[in-house]
Amino acid sequence: MKLNKPNCLESSVSNLSSFCFCLYHILPYINQDKYSYEEVMGYTGHAFHINLRVETINKWGPTMYDWGGVITQGLHNLGFNFKAVGYSGYHLGVPNVLDDAVRLIRDSIQRGVPLIMWEPLNSEFGIIYGYNDESQMLSVVDATKEGEIPFDRIGRGADTPEFFVLSISEVIEKNARERIKGTLDLILKYGLQDSHDFWEFTTGLPAYETWIKAFNNKSVDIQGNAFNIQVLMNARHTAVRFMDKFKDEFKEDNYHTELIEKSKNTFSEVVNLYKKLETLFPFSNDGHPTESRVSNEAISILQQIKEAEESALLNLKQLREHLD
């Protein structure tokens, strides 16, 4: 059985946050395309997220975050319940893990809803939109590729042994106040502090200190550094656009909208600072992060970004406290 292929390959939205990219392209199947890409990024917290690999700042930071915490709360903020089969690493010893995933895929496709899967074709999230029991193959697509993979390819990607398949199971009416509070809680949890469960990654404001330390130690991964800059610049640009929509949640409440406007303006400064970083480390040739002059300038910019983000987040914290 196969659904109409999601419009990923011709998409006009960024895939730098691949989970949100996939979620955005599933929305029409559950009659929720009222949400813009900016709202998907904002309400799920991804627009405000930073997650870095300690020491090397490599390409895995933007994808190896706390899926359980971020994805669960983010989907609930949008009013979605879900079912998932997921393990950190492919655990052959876990009974029925593959059978459970295939059963979830069949059920979801039969309901007309594609699923999100980790690394079907590339080292990012992609979409399952069909299955064939006879050939034991799945129809999959992501931002750059489409194709078929065997059932037992789930959790056995080329780069990571992460087992993850998710289906939106239910759309519920979300109370606006709950959505607002849940969004702010998610932004602040992964913004102000290091909330990661895994020692090799770091989140929030402490992540900037980790980045600076990597520059000082000359341990920055050249390509990973440039990639993280692209991801975070896109995320913060999306955060700015989301803030304009988020203000609508508060109608004519001047106190709350002023706090959001202050935060938005500060995130706009953050975007400009990331653009400065991008000139040092263009994604086309990745730059020279081990050169002292370049690394010193990068450290100065990162310190400014950290200070600006702290200011923006504290405005949102003040907003959240006022809602209690």
Side-chain angles (χ1 to χ4, degrees):
M1 182 175 181
K2 187 184 294 187
L3 305 175
N4 290 331
K5 184 176 64 179
N7 188 34
C8 296
L9 298 176
E10 296 82 25
S11 180
S12 61
V13 303
S14 171
N15 70 316
L16 287 169
S17 175
S18 62
F19 181 84
C20 288
F21 176 87
C22 292
L23 178 59
Y24 175 77
H25 286 95
I26 285 175
L27 294 180
Y29 297 84
I30 56 174
N31 299 315
Q32 293 298 307
D33 44 354
K34 63 182 180 181
Y35 288 115
S36 67
Y37 172 71
E38 290 78 17
E39 287 173 307
V40 171
M41 286 282 287
Y43 287 120
T44 63
H46 283 81
F48 306 87
H49 200 54
I50 176 173
N51 192 75
L52 297 179
R53 180 68 181 265
V54 174
E55 296 180 1
T56 61
I57 319 297
N58 66 19
K59 68 176 183 178
W60 295 115
T63 53
M64 294 293 106
Y65 54 86
D66 177 14
W67 294 351
V70 176
I71 289 176
T72 298
Q73 183 60 54
L75 290 176
H76 287 168
N77 290 340
L78 290 166
F80 304 152
N81 285 334
F82 68 93
K83 294 180 180 178
V85 179
Y87 296 94
S88 182
Y90 187 82
H91 292 282
L92 292 174
V94 178
N96 304 319
V97 60
L98 185 58
D99 289 344
D100 289 346
V102 173
R103 191 177 301 112
L104 179 64
I105 291 166
R106 288 195 190 103
D107 173 72
S108 191
I109 297 298
Q110 289 168 12
R111 288 189 294 108
V113 182
L115 304 91
I116 299 175
M117 171 184 168
W118 172 250
E119 203 176 8
L121 297 167
N122 293 301
S123 299
E124 61 182 3
F125 289 102
I127 295 176
I128 304 170
Y129 65 96
Y131 70 91
N132 186 316
D133 280 330
E134 185 176 345
S135 63
Q136 296 280 286
M137 299 293 283
L138 303 173
S139 299
V140 295
V141 65
D142 61 21
T144 62
K145 284 184 183 179
E146 61 177 307
E148 292 188 329
I149 62 171
F151 285 3
D152 62 6
R153 167 70 169 68
I154 303 171
R156 289 176 168 171
D159 287 322
T160 60
E162 299 296 322
F163 195 109
F164 188 83
V165 178
L166 178 145
S167 169
I168 304 298
S169 59
E170 184 183 19
V171 179
I172 57 177
E173 192 66 34
K174 193 72 176 179
N175 177 280
R177 192 170 185 84
E178 289 179 1
R179 179 173 59 248
I180 292 167
K181 292 169 73 171
T183 300
L184 291 170
D185 286 342
L186 189 54
I187 291 169
L188 294 171
K189 177 180 178 180
Y190 291 94
L192 286 175
Q193 62 216 14
D194 186 351
S195 297
H196 212 293
D197 295 331
F198 309 111
W199 65 268
E200 68 266 36
F201 294 94
T202 181
T203 69
L205 296 177
Y208 289 106
E209 293 302 322
T210 295
W211 207 343
I212 289 169
K213 183 177 179 180
F215 271 111
N216 283 325
N217 292 341
K218 301 189 183 302
S219 61
V220 169
D221 179 83
I222 295 175
Q223 293 181 334
N225 179 66
F227 178 60
N228 276 277
I229 291 168
Q230 292 296 314
V231 169
L232 290 164
M233 183 167 60
N234 171 72
R236 298 307 182 263
H237 177 67
T238 307
V240 172
R241 296 168 66 180
F242 169 71
M243 288 294 198
D244 281 329
K245 298 177 180 291
F246 196 48
K247 281 192 298 186
D248 294 340
E249 296 271 28
F250 296 91
K251 309 301 181 185
E252 302 301 321
D253 189 326
N254 291 334
Y255 176 75
H256 291 153
T257 55
E258 284 176 9
L259 286 172
I260 294 172
E261 189 67 23
K262 285 181 182 179
S263 184
K264 184 192 99 169
N265 291 338
T266 308
F267 276 120
S268 294
E269 296 173 15
V270 170
V271 172
N272 291 330
L273 289 167
Y274 269 115
K275 287 179 180 178
K276 288 184 178 181
L277 265 187
E278 184 189 30
T279 62
L280 294 178
F281 310 106
F283 200 50
S284 55
N285 65 19
D286 303 324
H288 304 281
T290 59
E291 289 186 4
S292 294
R293 179 191 62 80
V294 175
S295 64
N296 288 338
E297 187 173 353
I299 287 170
S300 175
I301 295 172
L302 287 171
Q303 288 171 333
Q304 293 174 65
I305 291 174
K306 180 188 176 186
E307 291 171 5
E309 291 216 342
E310 183 174 19
S311 175
L313 290 168
L314 288 176
N315 279 318
L316 295 182
K317 183 180 180 182
Q318 186 176 345
L319 170 60
R320 176 64 182 88
E321 290 171 345
H322 198 260
L323 295 175
D324 284 333

